[in-house]
Amino acid sequence: MKEVLRKIYYSIISVLPAKLVINIENFRTYRRFLSKDNPQYFGEKIQWLKLYGNLEQYSDYVDKYKVRAYIEKKIGAEYLIPLIGAYDDINEIEYEKLPQSFVFKNNNGSAMNLIVKDKNKLDILKTNKKLKKWLKSKYYKIKKEKQYLNVKNKILCEKYISDRSGNLLDYKFFCFDGNPVFVKVDFDRYSNHTSNFYNMNWEKIEMNEQGYKSYKGKVEKPENFDKMVEIAKILSSDFQFIRVDLYNVDGQIYFGELTFTPASGKNSFQPIEKDLEYARRIKIG
């Protein structure tokens, strides 16, 4: 039922003007409409950027295919997840030539990933149906994030990566004026999704993101964490605010993506004092 209601909501907002949708979203999160002249909250400033931040200039940075050239130039190709193929049409995919495990993803948007651990168990007809849907998707119409407006959909096939435990933690560095300030670590993204926040000394920050529970287990500082911080600093140096996503596979660091509007501005930080603290770091106007 929840999924049906979500689809109905998305179908409605996809045809509504961006300003109206953004005000609705901001009211749902902060119980106030977006302030054009004096936004106060973290998510509110993200919503402001969606309307007034000229984000369309960043299309090549959010395109998961085109951004690879930027990453190679800035930090080197060794930090890129090996690319197996890139397809404009599903008929270009030669399944028999793909390795036993791999990952399909759409280059445009988020939440469009298909992890294939065993190709022998893959339902190709069902997979092609999903990939076709991705290629036809209009991510901007739902999220109203202008950086995705001019990105041409493409299916990417990447090497499947995981650490020695079989997991893959997602490290999301929130960077302001070229400086990583805190990192969100995502656990069990495709099952019991939880997250924790840490500063650059790997000290836990007592903070939650709306919609997520904290991870209760012990979390060791990852190998080469200082190197991850250095990479986040390099990749964020060209932007006033950006989130740099990285992976760390038993010490091997990989680039994930660049994000200008985390959670599309719909998730507040709790306690609200933390939300306001980090919001003050985003300079607008």
Side-chain angles (χ1 to χ4, degrees):
M1 184 63 181
K2 188 176 180 180
E3 184 62 29
V4 172
L5 292 175
R6 183 185 291 110
K7 288 182 179 180
I8 293 173
Y9 176 70
Y10 284 161
S11 67
I12 293 172
I13 66 172
S14 67
V15 298
L16 294 179
K19 189 172 184 179
L20 175 59
V21 173
I22 285 170
N23 271 283
I24 291 172
E25 291 178 344
N26 202 70
F27 188 84
R28 290 179 66 189
T29 303
Y30 294 105
R31 295 298 182 264
R32 67 183 234 160
F33 294 113
L34 177 67
S35 172
K36 179 181 178 181
D37 300 320
N38 190 30
Q40 296 292 310
Y41 298 97
F42 186 86
E44 186 178 26
K45 287 194 173 183
I46 297 301
Q47 299 287 12
W48 190 96
L49 289 171
K50 287 163 62 176
L51 271 182
Y52 308 112
N54 299 315
L55 296 178
E56 52 268 50
Q57 65 183 305
Y58 299 129
S59 292
D60 286 354
Y61 298 103
V62 300
D63 183 326
K64 294 179 178 65
Y65 181 68
K66 289 186 176 181
V67 74
R68 294 175 67 89
Y70 175 74
I71 299 305
E72 183 172 356
K73 178 181 177 182
K74 295 288 283 189
I75 58 175
E78 64 269 26
Y79 295 103
L80 291 169
I81 299 174
L83 183 66
I84 299 168
Y87 316 102
D88 296 310
D89 189 289
I90 62 166
N91 293 317
E92 299 173 4
I93 303 173
E94 299 178 280
Y95 283 94
E96 68 279 3
K97 294 184 179 180
L98 296 180
Q100 200 63 24
S101 58
F102 54 86
V103 176
F104 279 135
K105 62 176 61 175
N106 190 1
N107 69 314
N108 184 11
S110 64
M112 286 178 276
N113 303 287
L114 178 62
I115 298 173
V116 180
K117 295 183 179 181
D118 185 352
K119 186 173 67 173
N120 293 335
K121 298 179 180 179
L122 184 67
D123 186 328
I124 293 179
L125 290 178
K126 186 177 180 179
T127 298
N128 282 343
K129 184 177 180 180
K130 181 188 290 286
L131 300 184
K132 276 185 178 181
K133 186 177 180 181
W134 290 357
L135 287 171
K136 293 179 180 179
S137 64
K138 304 291 184 181
Y139 190 75
Y140 166 76
K141 286 189 175 183
I142 296 175
K143 297 296 185 178
K144 312 302 182 186
E145 298 167 305
K146 292 180 182 178
Q147 65 270 36
Y148 297 104
L149 178 60
N150 297 315
V151 178
K152 180 184 176 183
N153 288 346
K154 186 186 290 284
I155 301 298
L156 305 183
C157 182
E158 294 181 345
K159 178 183 177 181
Y160 171 74
I161 58 174
S162 65
D163 62 26
R164 63 175 65 95
S165 69
N167 296 313
L168 184 65
L169 302 185
D170 201 349
Y171 299 86
K172 302 175 182 296
F173 290 84
F174 287 70
C175 306
F176 306 81
D177 296 310
N179 292 302
V181 173
F182 65 93
V183 58
K184 177 190 177 189
V185 184
D186 283 315
F187 305 86
D188 303 316
R189 291 181 60 191
Y190 301 104
S191 53
N192 181 33
H193 193 173
T194 56
S195 62
N196 282 347
F197 292 88
Y198 301 88
N199 63 23
M200 295 301 97
N201 294 318
W202 199 251
E203 297 165 337
K204 186 178 179 183
I205 302 172
E206 295 304 323
M207 179 172 76
N208 291 324
E209 182 178 0
Q210 182 180 349
Y212 296 91
K213 295 180 180 180
S214 294
Y215 180 72
K216 301 301 182 183
K218 184 179 180 181
V219 184
E220 299 290 344
K221 183 178 179 179
E223 296 182 52
N224 301 337
F225 181 71
D226 291 343
K227 183 64 177 180
M228 296 176 76
V229 175
E230 178 186 339
I231 288 172
K233 183 174 292 189
I234 294 171
L235 295 182
S236 64
S237 62
D238 296 324
F239 311 102
Q240 196 275 312
F241 168 74
I242 198 167
R243 196 189 76 199
V244 178
D245 295 3
L246 302 174
Y247 302 108
N248 193 323
V249 181
D250 303 324
Q252 171 62 55
I253 301 169
Y254 288 110
F255 167 76
E257 62 179 289
L258 298 177
T259 302
F260 293 88
T261 49
S264 199
K266 295 190 292 185
N267 296 349
S268 64
F269 293 128
Q270 299 296 328
I272 200 63
E273 290 77 16
K274 285 293 183 183
D275 190 282
L276 290 166
E277 175 187 340
Y278 295 126
R280 286 191 287 269
R281 292 179 174 272
I282 300 179
K283 303 177 181 66
I284 62 173

